[in-house]
C-alpha cells in the first residue's frame, strides 16, 4: 500500500473516531440530567427494569445463577422472563463487575443512546459514503422522539440501539457475500433477542423479508451460483442465530403452557395506544405532546416521533428525486409501518392482526412508527448525500422547500401565539423545576415556544447561507444538533425523568441486605407494595427488601395466578393470608373449590388437580391437631 493510501486511510479512521466521540458527547449533553444523575429515569424503568436487574446482579454477586425469583408473584422463573434479562451478555457481565443500581443503570442508559447513534452513523455511512451526512442521521436517530419518549422502556431502547448493527451486517452479507457478516448478524440478533423487546425482533424479521427477496432476485439475475451461495449464507446465519438462542427457545417451550401472555392476546388488548393523527404534530413541535394528554388519545410515551425540523426539507425532496429499487422497497415498507401505527384508525392493522405471525404477542401499535422513522432516516440520508454530489441540480428545489417550510413555521408560530398565553407562559416557564416546567401551559404555548426557537435557528441558517456560504455544511450540522438537543430537553421531563435523585435511592438500596436472609415469618398479605414504597420505589418493591410477596408489576405472570386472583378471589385471599410456611389440615381436588367458598374453611386447605390429588390422597400424613393449626 502506498504512503498516500495509508495517509488517506488513517485520516478517514481519524474522522470516524471524531464522529463517534462527538456523538457520544452529544448524547451525554442532551441527557445530562440522566448522565450526571440529577434526575432518575422513571415509570417502567424504575418499576420494572431496575428491580429485575438489581435482583439479577445480587444473585450473581452472591454466586447464584438467577433461575428463580421468590420475591414476586409468590415466586416465578425469572430466567424464563426475557425482560429480565438473565441470558443477556451485557447484564451478566455487568452484574459480575458491580451491582446494578439506579446510578449504574443510568450510565448504561446513556451508553445505549450513544450506541444507537454510532450504529445509525455506521449504517448510513455504509449506504451513502458521506461521513457528514451519516453523522447527521446518527445524531437524529439517537436524539429522536422515540428515545426520549420511550426511555422508561429500557429493553426497547436496547433493541433500538442494536437494530442499526443488525441491518448493517445483514446488508453487507447480502451485498458483499461474505459469511463473516452473517456471523455478526447472528451475534447482534442474539443481543436483541436476549436483552431487548421482542416486538422489535418481529419488526426486524418483517424488514428482512422484502430486503431478502429483493437481493435474492438480483442474485438470481446475476448467476445461479451466486443465488445458491446467498441461500447457503442465509441458512448458515439462521442456524447460528437459532443455535445461540437455543436456551431461550427451550425455556419458552417450558413455560409457554403456563403463561397466558405467550399464547397471544386478543385484538382489543393489542390495538391500544396507537400513533394518532393528533400525534403528527410531534414531527414538527414535539413539545406540544407533553401537555393535554387526552387530546392526543394515546399514551404520552407513544406520541413523540421527532426527527429534527431541519431534516424535513430532505424528507420532502426524497419524493421528487429518482429512487433506486431498494429505496422503493424500503419506502413501501416504511409506509406500511406508518399505516399500521394508526391502529384502529385504518383497517390495515386489523387485517394484519389475523395474518402476520407474532402480531398478537405485543401491544402498542404506535411501536410501528419507530420502524417508519428508522427507514425514513436512511432514505433522508441517501437524499442528503445525493444533494452533496449534485447540489447544482437540486439547489433551487431545496431552497424553495426550505422557504416553504420556513414560511409554514412562521405561520404556525404566529397562529399558536394568538391561541396561547405566551407572555405568562415564558415568565413562569424558566422559574419552574424540570418536571413542572415540561407539564406547564397548553399545547399552543408549547407549539409557540418551540416553534419560536426553531424559527431563530432557521434564521441563523439563512444568515450563514447568505453571508458565510463556506460554513454552510458545518453550520447546518451545528444548528441541527442544537435543535435536537433543545427538543430532548423540552421533553425530558415528560415521561423520561422524575424528581427523585438516583444517588439518594442507591444509598437507600445499599442500606438493605445484599445477601438473601431468611424471609420474615408473617402472613404474605402483609408484604404489600405500599409497605416497600420508600425513597421513590413504587412497584416490585419486595425484591429490594427480600420479602416473599404476591404482588408484581410484570406481563410475565402464571395463568394459574391470574385465574385465582380474578376467578377465585376468596381462595386467593385465603392463600396469601397464611404465612410463607404452613401445614395443611386438608387437601381437596380442584373441582371442589366452589364448595369451599367460606374463608375459614379455606384457611388451611390445599387444592390439587385431579391426578395429583389421587396420588397424594393415598399417602396422606396426618399431623397432631395441636401442630396442624
Amino acid at each position: 500500500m502506498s504512503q498516500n493510501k495509508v495517509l488517506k486511510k488513517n485520516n478517514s479512521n481519524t474522522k470516524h473516531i471524531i464522529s463517534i466521540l462527538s456523538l457520544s458527547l452529544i448524547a451525554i449533553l442532551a441527557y445530562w440530567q440522566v448522565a450526571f444523575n440529577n434526575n432518575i429515569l422513571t415509570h417502567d424503568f424504575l418499576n420494572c427494569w431496575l428491580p429485575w436487574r438489581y435482583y439479577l446482579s445480587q444473585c450473581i454477586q452472591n454466586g447464584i445463577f438467577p433461575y428463580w425469583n421468590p420475591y414476586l408473584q409468590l415466586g416465578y422463573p425469572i430466567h424464563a422472563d426475557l425482560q429480565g434479562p438473565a441470558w443477556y451478555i451485557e447484564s451478566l457481565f455487568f452484574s459480575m463487575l458491580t451491582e446494578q443500581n439506579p446510578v449504574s443503570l443510568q450510565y448504561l442508559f446513556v451508553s445505549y443512546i450513544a450506541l444507537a447513534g454510532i450504529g445509525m452513523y455506521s449504517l448510513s455511512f455504509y449506504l451513502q459514503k458521506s461521513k457528514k451526512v451519516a453523522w447527521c442521521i446518527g445524531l437524529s436517530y439517537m436524539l429522536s422522539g422515540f428515545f426520549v419518549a420511550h426511555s422508561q422502556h429500557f429493553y426497547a431502547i436496547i433493541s433500538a440501539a442494536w437494530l442499526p448493527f443488525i441491518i448493517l451486517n445483514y446488508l453487507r452479507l447480502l451485498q458483499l457475500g461474505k459469511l463473516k457478516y452473517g456471523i455478526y448478524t447472528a451475534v447482534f440478533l442474539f443481543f436483541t433477542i436476549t436483552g431487548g423487546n421482542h416486538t422489535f425482533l418481529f419488526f426486524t424479521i418483517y424488514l428482512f423479508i422484502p430486503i431478502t427477496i429483493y437481493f435474492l432476485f438480483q442474485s438470481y439475475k446475476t448467476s445461479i451460483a451466486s443465488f445458491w451461495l446467498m441461500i447457503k449464507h442465509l441458512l448458515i446465519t439462521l442456524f447460528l442465530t437459532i443455535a445461540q438462542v437455543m436456551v431461550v427457545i427451550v425455556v419458552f417451550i417450558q413455560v409457554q403452557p403456563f403463561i397466558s401472555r405467550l399464547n397471544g392476546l386478543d385484538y382489543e388488548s393489542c390495538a391500544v395506544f396507537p400513533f394518532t393523527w393528533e400525534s403528527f404534530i410531534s414531527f414538527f413541535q414535539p413539545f406540544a405532546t407533553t401537555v393535554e394528554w387526552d387530546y392526543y388519545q394515546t399514551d404520552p410515551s407513544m406520541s413523540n416521533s421527532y426527527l429534527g425540523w431541519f431534516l424535513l426539507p430532505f424528507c420532502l425532496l426524497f419524493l421528487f428525486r429518482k429512487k433506486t429499487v431498494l429505496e422503493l422497497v424500503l419506502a413501501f415498507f416504511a409506509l406500511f409501518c406508518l399505516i399500521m401505527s394508526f391502529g384502529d384508525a385504518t383497517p390495515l392493522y386489523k387485517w394484519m392482526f389475523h395474518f402476520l405471525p407474532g402480531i398478537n404477542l405485543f401491544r402498542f401499535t404506535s411501536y410501528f412508527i419507530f420502524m417508519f422513522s428508522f427507514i425514513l432516516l436512511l432514505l433522508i440520508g441517501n437524499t442528503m448525500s445525493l444533494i452533496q454530489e449534485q447540489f447544482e441540480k437540486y439547489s433551487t428545489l431545496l431552497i424553495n422547500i426550505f422557504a416553504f417550510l420556513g414560511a409554514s413555521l412562521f405561520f404556525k408560530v404566529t397562529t399558536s401565539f394568538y391561541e396561547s398565553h405566551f407572555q405568562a407562559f415564558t415568565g413562569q416557564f424558566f422559574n419552574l423545576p424540570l418536571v413542572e416546567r415540561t407539564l406547564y401551559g397548553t399545547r399552543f404555548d408549547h407549539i409557540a415556544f418551540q416553534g419560536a426557537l426553531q424559527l431563530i435557528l432557521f434564521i441563523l441558517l439563512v444568515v450563514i447561507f447568505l453571508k458565510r456560504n463556506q460554513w454552510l455544511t458545518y453550520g447546518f450540522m451545528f444548528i441541527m444538533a442544537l435543535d435536537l438537543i433543545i427538543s430532548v430537553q423540552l421533553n425530558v421531563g415528560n415521561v423520561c425523568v422524575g424528581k427523585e435523585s438516583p444517588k439518594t435511592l442507591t444509598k437507600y438500596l445499599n442500606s438493605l441486605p445484599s445477601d438473601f436472609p431468611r424471609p420474615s415469618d408473617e402472613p404474605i398479605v402483609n408484604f404489600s407494595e405500599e409497605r416497600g414504597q420508600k425513597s421513590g420505589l413504587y412497584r416490585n418493591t419486595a425484591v429490594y427488601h427480600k420479602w416473599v410477596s404476591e404482588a408484581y408489576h410484570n406481563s410475565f405472570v402464571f395463568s394459574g395466578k391470574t385465574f385465582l386472583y380474578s376467578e377465585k378471589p376468596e381462595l386467593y385471599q385465603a392463600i396469601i393470608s397464611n404465612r410463607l410456611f404452613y401445614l395443611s389440615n386438608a387437601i381437596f381436588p380442584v373441582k371442589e373449590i366452589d364448595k369451599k367458598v367460606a374463608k375459614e374453611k379455606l384457611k388451611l386447605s390445599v387444592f390439587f388437580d385431579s391426578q395429583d390429588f389421587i396420588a397424594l390422597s393415598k399417602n396422606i400424613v396426618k399431623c397432631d391437631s395441636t401442630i396442624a393449626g
Side-chain angles (χ1 to χ4, degrees):
M1 186 181 292
S2 67
Q3 186 175 2
N4 285 338
K5 288 184 178 180
V6 172
L7 290 174
K8 285 182 180 179
K9 184 177 181 180
N10 289 338
N11 184 50
S12 178
N13 290 338
T14 301
K15 289 181 178 179
H16 279 305
I17 292 171
I18 292 172
S19 296
I20 289 170
L21 289 176
S22 62
L23 288 171
S24 301
L25 289 173
I26 291 174
I28 294 171
L29 177 62
Y31 287 91
W32 69 267
Q33 290 93 344
V34 181
F36 297 106
N37 285 289
N38 281 48
N39 297 83
I40 196 164
L41 290 164
T42 188
H43 299 298
D44 279 2
F45 184 93
L46 188 60
N47 294 327
C48 297
W49 323 120
L50 174 61
W52 297 335
R53 281 178 169 253
Y54 175 85
Y55 175 75
L56 290 174
S57 65
Q58 290 223 318
C59 285
I60 299 298
Q61 292 284 315
N62 283 277
I64 303 167
F65 187 84
Y67 287 109
W68 189 262
N69 183 345
Y71 303 120
L72 300 177
Q73 54 179 303
L74 300 178
Y76 77 105
I78 193 171
H79 79 284
D81 181 3
L82 298 179
Q83 296 177 113
W87 302 104
Y88 185 36
I89 296 296
E90 169 262 294
S91 181
L92 291 172
F93 181 72
F94 199 20
S95 297
M96 293 176 189
L97 296 178
T98 185
E99 181 184 82
Q100 299 199 55
N101 56 45
V103 169
S104 60
L105 280 182
Q106 298 215 152
Y107 293 144
L108 197 61
F109 170 83
V110 177
S111 299
Y112 275 112
I113 295 293
L115 183 68
I118 294 166
M120 198 62 164
Y121 164 83
S122 303
L123 175 56
S124 180
F125 178 73
Y126 174 75
L127 292 174
Q128 47 75 33
K129 304 306 178 189
S130 169
K131 296 183 183 68
K132 294 184 181 69
V133 169
W135 186 89
C136 291
I137 299 304
L139 177 75
S140 175
Y141 184 63
M142 73 179 189
L143 301 187
S144 66
F146 172 84
F147 283 93
V148 70
H150 286 273
S151 54
Q152 61 172 304
H153 304 131
F154 193 41
Y155 69 156
I157 297 297
I158 291 173
S159 288
W162 289 124
L163 182 61
F165 295 97
I166 295 171
I167 302 302
L168 170 62
N169 286 284
Y170 192 68
L171 287 175
R172 283 173 169 168
L173 170 66
L174 296 173
Q175 290 181 315
L176 304 179
K178 295 183 179 180
L179 184 57
K180 67 177 182 179
Y181 296 117
I183 297 173
Y184 299 156
T185 301
V187 170
F188 288 122
L189 279 170
F190 172 70
F191 291 162
T192 197
I193 291 171
T194 54
N197 184 339
H198 290 167
T199 302
F200 292 79
L201 173 63
F202 287 109
F203 289 162
T204 304
I205 294 171
Y206 299 152
L207 180 56
F208 276 179
I209 292 172
I211 292 176
T212 305
I213 292 173
Y214 167 77
F215 279 104
L216 282 174
F217 180 73
Q218 294 296 317
S219 177
Y220 184 80
K221 289 198 304 182
T222 302
S223 70
I224 295 297
S226 63
F227 173 81
W228 286 111
L229 181 62
M230 184 176 291
I231 292 289
K232 176 184 175 182
H233 287 168
L234 290 172
L235 289 175
I236 293 174
T237 301
L238 177 62
F239 172 79
L240 290 173
T241 303
I242 293 174
Q244 288 182 102
V245 300
M246 187 57 69
V247 64
V248 176
I249 296 172
V250 170
V251 297
F252 175 84
I253 293 172
Q254 290 176 335
V255 302
Q256 188 265 341
F258 309 105
I259 309 295
S260 56
R261 175 69 181 268
L262 299 180
N263 296 315
L265 301 169
D266 57 41
Y267 177 77
E268 288 71 23
S269 299
C270 291
V272 295
F273 299 148
F275 187 77
T276 59
W277 303 113
E278 292 83 0
S279 299
F280 261 97
I281 188 63
S282 68
F283 282 106
F284 305 93
Q285 283 87 34
F287 190 36
T289 65
T290 68
V291 290
E292 301 180 27
W293 292 347
D294 290 342
Y295 170 77
Y296 297 98
Q297 303 177 64
T298 191
D299 189 85
S301 65
M302 307 289 171
S303 59
N304 187 349
S305 292
Y306 193 59
L307 299 175
W309 189 90
F310 292 88
L311 288 186
L312 293 176
F314 301 98
C315 178
L316 292 177
L317 191 60
F318 170 75
L319 300 175
F320 295 99
R321 71 172 179 85
K322 186 177 180 181
K323 304 159 190 67
T324 65
V325 176
L326 180 58
E327 286 178 330
L328 288 173
V329 170
L330 293 175
F332 278 113
F333 184 81
L335 180 62
F336 169 81
C337 291
L338 175 63
I339 299 173
M340 288 286 284
S341 72
F342 299 150
D344 265 336
T346 75
L348 182 62
Y349 180 77
K350 193 164 189 177
W351 294 341
M352 292 298 103
F353 181 83
H354 300 289
F355 174 71
L356 280 180
I359 289 289
N360 66 338
L361 292 175
F362 60 86
R363 303 165 68 212
F364 315 147
T365 60
S366 62
Y367 270 136
F368 279 98
I369 201 68
F370 164 77
M371 288 304 294
F372 169 77
S373 301
F374 177 81
I375 295 170
L376 182 61
L377 276 177
L378 297 178
L379 299 176
I380 288 173
N382 289 357
T383 303
M384 293 173 71
S385 179
L386 181 65
I387 291 171
Q388 272 192 330
E389 297 170 1
Q390 304 177 34
F391 185 74
E392 294 298 327
K393 180 179 178 180
Y394 291 101
S395 59
T396 302
L397 179 58
L398 182 62
I399 291 170
N400 289 335
I401 292 175
F402 260 105
F404 168 74
L405 288 175
S408 300
L409 177 62
F410 177 78
F411 175 78
K412 186 65 176 176
V413 171
T414 304
T415 54
S416 297
F417 178 82
Y418 285 111
E419 293 279 353
S420 70
H421 305 88
F422 195 74
Q423 186 174 356
F425 172 78
T426 53
Q428 188 72 8
F429 177 81
F430 294 102
N431 297 319
L432 290 171
L434 176 65
V435 176
E436 287 83 354
R437 180 193 312 160
T438 305
L439 302 176
Y440 174 70
T442 68
R443 69 179 187 274
F444 295 109
D445 294 326
H446 287 213
I447 291 171
F449 185 77
Q450 185 170 17
L453 295 175
Q454 292 169 334
L455 199 57
I456 292 170
L457 293 177
F458 175 70
I459 293 171
L460 179 58
L461 182 64
V462 172
V463 170
I464 294 173
F465 175 71
L466 295 175
K467 301 294 185 181
R468 293 288 186 271
N469 193 265
Q470 68 274 19
W471 296 353
L472 184 59
T473 300
Y474 288 106
F476 176 85
M477 295 167 68
F478 175 73
I479 288 170
M480 179 183 163
L482 272 181
D483 174 53
L484 286 162
I485 292 171
I486 289 170
S487 178
V488 170
Q489 282 299 298
L490 289 176
N491 286 270
V492 75
N494 184 18
V495 287
C496 181
V497 300
K499 303 174 185 178
E500 291 79 12
S501 165
K503 294 178 182 178
T504 301
L505 179 54
T506 298
K507 184 178 180 180
Y508 173 69
L509 292 180
N510 289 338
S511 70
L512 300 177
S514 59
D515 55 357
F516 298 96
R518 185 176 65 184
S520 299
D521 186 25
E522 298 179 45
I524 293 172
V525 72
N526 289 0
F527 301 111
S528 62
E529 293 280 36
E530 291 76 15
R531 183 173 176 179
Q533 288 172 353
K534 301 175 182 178
S535 297
L537 300 177
Y538 186 68
R539 299 279 194 177
N540 293 327
T541 57
V543 167
Y544 309 108
H545 301 280
K546 308 298 192 304
W547 297 334
V548 175
S549 170
E550 56 85 27
Y552 68 96
H553 182 62
N554 193 353
S555 59
F556 185 94
V557 56
F558 286 118
S559 53
K561 186 181 191 303
T562 303
F563 169 78
L564 285 174
Y565 182 82
S566 59
E567 302 295 331
K568 308 295 178 185
E570 298 91 349
L571 177 58
Y572 186 78
Q573 285 299 316
I575 291 172
I576 64 176
S577 295
N578 281 291
R579 288 179 164 83
L580 180 60
F581 301 102
Y582 68 94
L583 297 175
S584 169
N585 61 359
I587 66 170
F588 303 95
V590 168
K591 63 184 180 181
E592 294 187 18
I593 285 181
D594 293 331
K595 297 179 183 178
K596 312 291 182 180
V597 292
K599 186 174 181 179
E600 60 272 17
K601 294 182 179 179
L602 295 173
K603 177 75 174 178
L604 295 176
S605 300
V606 175
F607 295 86
F608 293 93
D609 64 35
S610 299
Q611 186 176 355
D612 290 339
F613 174 76
I614 293 171
L616 289 170
S617 60
K618 295 177 181 178
N619 299 285
I620 283 293
V621 176
K622 294 186 177 180
C623 298
D624 184 273
S625 60
T626 59
I627 300 176

